[in-house]
Amino acid sequence: MERPGARSGHLPVMYRQVLDGLQVNGSGTYLDGTFGRGGHARGVLDQLGAGGRLLLMDKDPEAIAVAEREFGADPRVSIFRGSFAHIADWDAAAAGLDGVLLDLGVSSPQLDVAERGFSFGKDGPLDMRMDPDSGQSAAQWLAQASEREIADVLWTYGEERMSRKIARTLVARRAEQPILRTAQLAELIASVMPRGDKIHPATRSFQAIRIHINRELADLETGLDGALARLNVGGRLAVISFHSLEDRIVKQFIARHSKAPPSNRRLPVEVAFTPSLRAIDGAQKALDEETAGNPRARSAVLRVAEKLEAAA
């Protein structure tokens, strides 16, 4: 039996759990907001009949090139280059969606290519943009950001305890020499970090800078709102997160739309709450069989929710 995603050379995380969560209807319309290399999308398409539709989004031009090459000839498929923050703005989604998938964070293909600048383990240009045609690169941002701004980003998005010391060192070093390569940045961070940490000393800082450069958390919040707005009643939202900042946003979003807020006795009239989502199975983790062959899956958390009839 062919492994999921094998045709694209990329093994999608929590493949079976995602498809089970989406409960694909053969005549439904589904949107994959983070196409990557198409492992999950291929699984959805395999379950669609002639009347089904699959909408594919990604801000990465290399991912879009793969989508066009492998899926572009299928009349059931529509492809859009852009962030999933724009789900609600895409005309193809206006008629309603029966499922939305978001597989968050940086993809394995992006990490594997040194020229994209995501990995501290591979020397390359310090870029980190998922869309290399938009916004500032990491090198450009580090060249002009203030010491306080850098420290705030490292702490807020990376929970890096040494954020102030790293920021101070970065600002001092850039005055002597521009920081243009991933190896430069990784070595500089390592030089001020205490020894003995189990993970690479640059891990949290690289994560934080990447999240900031790509507006990942802001896009997630907007994308979740857009997904809810476009989902049909009974439609499913499935989101895979890889770190606590993402998962917290997803968890709180689902809770906010599925559970009544705590009552406030000071209010003269209690405000009625009508849930618009129903959480499905709580936080799901990858199975041991998957993590044994794909270490990246160990940090993955899948949350699924269904849109309810009472939603406005």
Side-chain angles (χ1 to χ4, degrees):
M1 179 178 178
E2 184 178 47
R3 298 171 76 196
R7 280 170 283 174
S8 66
H10 170 57
L11 186 64
V13 170
M14 301 183 75
Y15 175 83
R16 178 47 54 195
Q17 288 151 286
V18 166
L19 292 183
D20 288 347
L22 288 174
Q23 289 192 334
V24 178
N25 173 353
S27 60
T29 300
Y30 295 83
L31 185 146
D32 184 342
T34 49
F35 174 80
R37 291 302 179 267
H40 292 114
R42 187 171 287 103
V44 173
L45 192 61
D46 286 346
Q47 297 187 41
L48 292 180
R53 293 200 67 201
L54 177 61
L55 311 184
L56 304 177
M57 301 182 78
D58 206 297
K59 61 170 67 173
D60 187 333
E62 294 180 13
I64 292 298
V66 173
E68 294 282 4
R69 183 174 68 248
E70 299 191 13
F71 295 82
D74 194 317
R76 299 171 295 173
V77 176
S78 297
I79 301 170
F80 175 81
R81 180 183 171 189
S83 168
F84 58 70
H86 303 300
I87 287 174
D89 303 323
W90 188 9
D91 290 344
L97 302 169
D98 297 296
V100 174
L101 168 65
L102 304 178
D103 183 359
L104 305 177
V106 65
S107 69
S108 296
Q110 289 168 331
L111 284 171
D112 291 340
V113 178
E115 287 72 25
R116 299 301 300 272
F118 288 104
S119 175
F120 48 77
K122 297 180 174 67
D123 184 35
L126 188 55
D127 195 311
M128 295 196 191
R129 288 174 295 178
M130 293 177 181
D131 179 356
D133 300 324
S134 177
Q136 287 184 312
S137 69
Q140 291 169 331
W141 178 70
L142 285 172
Q144 55 81 35
S146 69
E147 180 180 326
R148 179 173 181 176
E149 184 181 0
I150 294 171
D152 286 348
V153 164
L154 298 186
W155 172 251
T156 303
Y157 299 138
E159 299 175 318
E160 174 53 70
R161 291 169 296 174
M162 302 292 289
S163 58
R164 292 183 181 179
K165 187 173 183 180
I166 293 171
R168 186 163 58 249
T169 304
L170 284 171
V171 170
R173 184 68 60 85
R174 78 184 182 192
E176 304 169 359
Q177 181 183 19
I179 304 170
L180 303 175
R181 309 283 298 182
T182 55
Q184 266 184 292
L185 179 60
E187 290 168 8
L188 188 153
I189 294 170
S191 72
V192 300
M193 294 288 283
R195 297 183 181 276
D197 208 336
K198 292 181 180 179
I199 65 172
H200 189 287
T203 300
R204 289 180 288 267
S205 293
F206 266 64
Q207 170 189 296
I209 295 168
R210 189 203 80 221
I211 289 173
H212 174 73
I213 290 296
N214 292 288
R215 289 178 44 85
E216 291 179 39
L217 301 188
D219 277 8
L220 175 57
E221 292 175 342
T222 304
L224 290 172
D225 286 335
L228 179 58
R230 288 290 178 254
L231 276 173
N232 296 322
V233 171
R236 293 287 184 92
L237 170 67
V239 186
I240 304 173
S241 306
F242 288 89
H243 59 75
S244 60
L245 296 175
E246 294 171 337
D247 183 54
R248 189 178 305 134
I249 290 173
V250 178
K251 178 181 179 180
Q252 291 175 348
F253 175 83
I254 294 174
R256 186 164 65 250
H257 292 281
S258 61
K259 300 176 183 178
S263 59
N264 187 341
R265 289 177 295 179
R266 296 180 181 178
L267 293 177
V269 179
E270 186 173 341
V271 179
F273 173 77
T274 303
S276 54
L277 285 175
R278 176 172 68 94
I280 308 292
D281 295 334
Q284 301 179 52
K285 300 287 287 183
L287 303 177
D288 291 343
E289 178 184 357
E290 178 176 1
T291 58
N294 182 10
R296 183 172 182 258
R298 293 173 189 160
S299 58
V301 177
L302 170 65
R303 293 186 186 272
V304 179
E306 180 180 296
K307 189 167 182 178
L308 297 177
E309 180 73 44

